[in-house]
Amino acid sequence: MTDIKNSLVEKVFFQNRNIYIKRDDLLDSEFSGNKARKFHYFLDHDFPQIKKIVSYGSNQSNAMYSLSVLCKIKKWEFEYFTDHIPSFLQANPIGNLKYALENGMRLKLFNECSYNELKEKNSLSKTIKKNDTLFIPEGGRCETSRYGISLLAKEIIEFKKENGLKVLYIFLPSGTGTTALYLQSSIIKHNDNSKVFTNACVGGKEYLIKQFFALEKDEKYHPSVLDTKKHHFGKLDCKMYRFWIELQKNLNIEFDLLYDPYGFWYMMKFLEKNEISKPVMYIHQGGIKGNVSMLQRYKRKCI
Ligand SMILES: *Cc1c(COP(=O)(O)O)cnc(C)c1O
C-alpha cells in the first residue's frame, strides 16, 4: 500500500435526517482513518537520511498503530514511548498494541530523563529531525499533517460540487484537534464555504482551542467547537456505549468507541437544537482496530 485513494461517501438516514458519511475508515485496510491522512505526507515524500521514527503516546493509540504501518512500508525502525503499560496487556497484547508490535514497533517505557526530553519536543507541535531520526509528536499534531488533510478537504469540495450542494456542515470529533483545524483551514484556503464543527474528546473546549492556536495563530481558520459536557478521555460511559450499538444497528457501520459515539451524539444534539436543515457530513476517522480493548472493558461494565 503506497497510494491513498479518494474515500467513498455514503448517504444514511438516521433520526429523521439524511447524513453523508465520509468513509475514511475504508481508505485502506491497514493505513486508514485520519492517521492515514496525517501521515500521507511521509508516504508521498522521500527521506533519504531517515532510518528511524520516534514518537510517543498511549499504549492503545491509533497513531501508534498507523506509524507502525508507515515504518513497515518505509522500512524504518520505529521506537514508541509510553508512560505506562499494564502487566496484563504486556503479557497479552491486543488491539492497536498487538498489531503495532507485529509490525516491528519497539515499545519503550519512559524513564525520567527520556520523559522530560520527549515532553519538551512534543510541546513544540512539529516534527524534529536529528541525524537519521525523525521525532513525530503525539497523535501527529504537527505541520506535516496538513498535506493529507488538505487532500481530504479537496475530496469533500469535489463531492459537494458533484452533488450541487451550496453549503455543507462537516462534523468530526477531536483529540488533538489537528484534523478539524487543518480541514477547516484547507477548506477556507480552497475558497469553499463549508463549515467544520468539532467537539473535544480529550480535555475540554478550552484545551481544544489552545491546541488550535498552537498550530494556527489566525482564528479565522479555526473550526467551531460545540458545547459539550467534559469527560475524561477513555473513561467508560454506558450511555455512549448504547448509542454506539444503536449507530451500528441502524447504519450498519462500525464506528470507533473512543471518539465517534461522542462526536455523533453531540452532532445530533446540535442539529436538533439549532434546527439546522443544511446538508450534513460526518467524517468516519477510522480507529476501529482499537475497539477490541474498549469492548472488553465495556462488556464488563454495561449491558
Ligand atoms: C486520532 C483520532 C481522532 C482525533 O484526531 P485529532 O486530529 O487528534 O483531533 C479521532 N478519531 C479517531 C478514530 C482517531 O484515531
Side-chain angles (χ1 to χ4, degrees):
M1 213 288 314
T2 48
D3 192 21
I4 294 181
K5 295 192 183 62
N6 202 331
S7 69
L8 66 89
V9 176
E10 203 171 320
K11 193 174 179 176
V12 302
F13 191 69
F14 183 68
Q15 293 181 352
N16 286 320
R17 191 182 283 278
N18 285 312
I19 300 167
Y20 296 110
I21 314 264
K22 179 78 171 153
R23 299 293 305 269
D24 263 14
D25 56 317
L26 303 178
L27 276 173
D28 178 81
S29 63
E30 284 210 87
F31 203 52
S32 77
N34 70 344
K35 302 307 178 299
R37 300 289 188 181
K38 286 176 166 183
F39 302 137
H40 194 169
Y41 175 83
F42 297 101
L43 271 188
D44 278 7
H45 294 82
D46 283 329
F47 301 84
Q49 288 138 27
I50 297 301
K51 294 199 169 70
K52 181 161 121 186
I53 297 284
V54 174
S55 188
Y56 98 122
S58 86
N59 60 48
Q60 275 299 351
S61 146
N62 294 327
M64 169 191 75
Y65 167 70
S66 298
L67 281 174
S68 79
V69 175
L70 175 73
C71 290
K72 199 168 93 175
I73 295 169
K74 291 284 206 174
K75 301 191 169 59
W76 288 333
E77 284 175 58
F78 179 34
E79 207 167 88
Y80 186 81
F81 286 84
T82 193
D83 53 11
H84 89 118
I85 169 140
S87 49
F88 67 86
L89 189 62
Q90 192 150 29
N92 196 5
I94 55 167
N96 284 320
L97 181 64
K98 172 178 167 20
Y99 299 111
L101 289 169
E102 282 174 10
N103 284 337
M105 175 181 78
R106 268 187 288 136
L107 185 66
K108 298 219 162 172
L109 278 178
F110 284 129
N111 56 43
E112 194 95 12
C113 164
S114 61
Y115 183 75
N116 289 333
E117 194 193 326
L118 279 167
K119 269 281 184 212
E120 203 175 302
K121 275 187 186 167
N122 203 55
S123 67
L124 297 173
S125 327
K126 59 182 181 198
T127 59
I128 296 169
K129 191 173 158 295
K130 197 174 165 196
N131 303 324
D132 61 357
T133 301
L134 194 65
F135 174 80
I136 299 182
E138 179 173 16
R141 187 171 62 91
C142 45
E143 179 64 28
T144 45
S145 295
R146 187 190 281 277
Y147 174 86
I149 297 167
S150 164
L151 297 176
L152 167 63
K154 269 197 194 153
E155 288 176 23
I156 293 173
I157 294 167
E158 205 53 38
F159 169 84
K160 197 177 144 228
K161 281 191 191 134
E162 278 167 14
N163 289 273
L165 308 175
K166 288 201 177 60
V167 69
L168 191 58
Y169 277 23
I170 302 165
F171 292 80
L172 69 166
S174 277
T176 65
T178 310
T179 312
L181 173 78
Y182 284 147
L183 184 60
Q184 179 67 86
S185 85
S186 300
I187 284 171
I188 292 171
K189 286 173 182 169
H190 286 119
N191 290 317
D192 188 79
N193 63 351
S194 298
K195 279 183 71 65
V196 175
F197 296 86
T198 190
N199 62 289
C201 294
V202 176
K205 188 170 172 170
E206 282 106 68
Y207 162 83
L208 183 57
I209 292 172
K210 244 193 220 160
Q211 300 292 308
F212 292 159
F213 276 109
L215 291 166
E216 170 64 69
K217 297 271 176 301
D218 193 343
E219 224 174 323
K220 81 170 192 231
Y221 295 113
H222 291 188
S224 306
V225 183
L226 304 180
D227 285 316
T228 52
K229 265 200 279 185
K230 211 166 178 165
H231 82 100
H232 190 282
F233 184 63
K235 193 174 164 198
L236 303 184
D237 180 338
C238 292
K239 184 179 79 176
M240 287 301 167
Y241 177 54
R242 287 190 286 270
F243 185 60
W244 177 85
I245 293 173
E246 189 188 332
L247 283 175
Q248 177 144 336
K249 273 197 187 137
N250 282 277
L251 311 184
N252 210 9
I253 298 174
E254 182 179 356
F255 287 96
D256 122 286
L257 268 161
L258 277 167
Y259 300 90
D260 283 326
Y262 299 89
F264 219 100
W265 173 276
Y266 286 115
M267 171 180 77
M268 296 312 292
K269 285 272 167 289
F270 175 82
L271 295 173
E272 191 185 328
K273 186 164 162 238
N274 297 283
E275 297 179 5
I276 286 171
S277 58
K278 297 195 170 63
V280 166
M281 174 181 274
Y282 183 84
I283 303 190
H284 191 323
Q285 301 180 88
I288 59 170
K289 274 204 165 65
N291 279 352
V292 51
S293 64
M294 284 298 281
L295 271 174
Q296 270 189 358
R297 297 172 60 210
Y298 264 129
K299 281 184 180 155
R300 246 179 273 140
K301 185 181 160 100
C302 323
I303 356 155

